[in-house]
């Protein structure tokens, strides 16, 4: 339909990182929230340890429901995954 035209069309050259290059403020907000996210992750890991989640092979699931090219949130996600893998390498 005409109403749907133009939706979900990449802005800028596909794969160029245009979104990330023009949203430094969003990156800064996420970067500043990273210590809080790592602290929350540690609390979840502690709770999982108490109930034996890793021994029971329970998956640890996190998700980034962001948009565009992930340039603003990917550094934080890498830190979270690294933190989880240090505590639960087989999860």
């Amino acid at each position: 339909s005409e109403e749907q035209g133009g939706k979900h069309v990449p802005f800028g050259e596909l794969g160029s990182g245009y979104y990330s290059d023009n949203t430094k403020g969003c990156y800064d907000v996420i970067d500043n929230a990273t210590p809080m996210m790592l602290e929350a992750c540690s609390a979840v890991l502690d709770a999982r340890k108490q109930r034996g989640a890793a021994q029971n092979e329970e998956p640890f699931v996190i998700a980034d429901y962001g948009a565009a090219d992930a340039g603003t949130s990917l550094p934080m996600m890498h830190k979270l995954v690294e933190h989880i893998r240090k505590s639960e390498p087989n999860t």
Side-chain angles (χ1 to χ4, degrees), residues 51-71:
R51 71 168 192 267
Q55 292 77 16
N56 294 330
E57 298 182 358
E58 293 178 19
F60 193 114
V61 180
I62 59 174
D64 178 359
Y65 291 102
D69 61 9

Side-chain angles (χ1 to χ4, degrees), residues 2-10:
E2 184 179 326
E3 191 268 332
Q4 292 176 334
K7 291 186 179 177
H8 307 291
V9 175

Side-chain angles (χ1 to χ4, degrees), residues 19 30 63-70 72-73:
Y19 179 82
I30 294 170
D64 178 359
Y65 291 102
D69 61 9
T72 56
S73 60

Side-chain angles (χ1 to χ4, degrees), residues 25-35 37 72-77:
C26 295
Y27 172 84
D28 291 341
V29 169
I30 294 170
D31 190 49
N32 289 334
T34 297
M37 296 296 293
T72 56
S73 60
L74 201 55
M76 180 188 68
M77 293 300 287

Side-chain angles (χ1 to χ4, degrees), residues 39-53:
E39 184 178 328
C41 187
S42 290
V44 171
L45 287 165
D46 288 344
R48 288 173 56 85
K49 186 175 183 178
Q50 289 179 6
R51 71 168 192 267

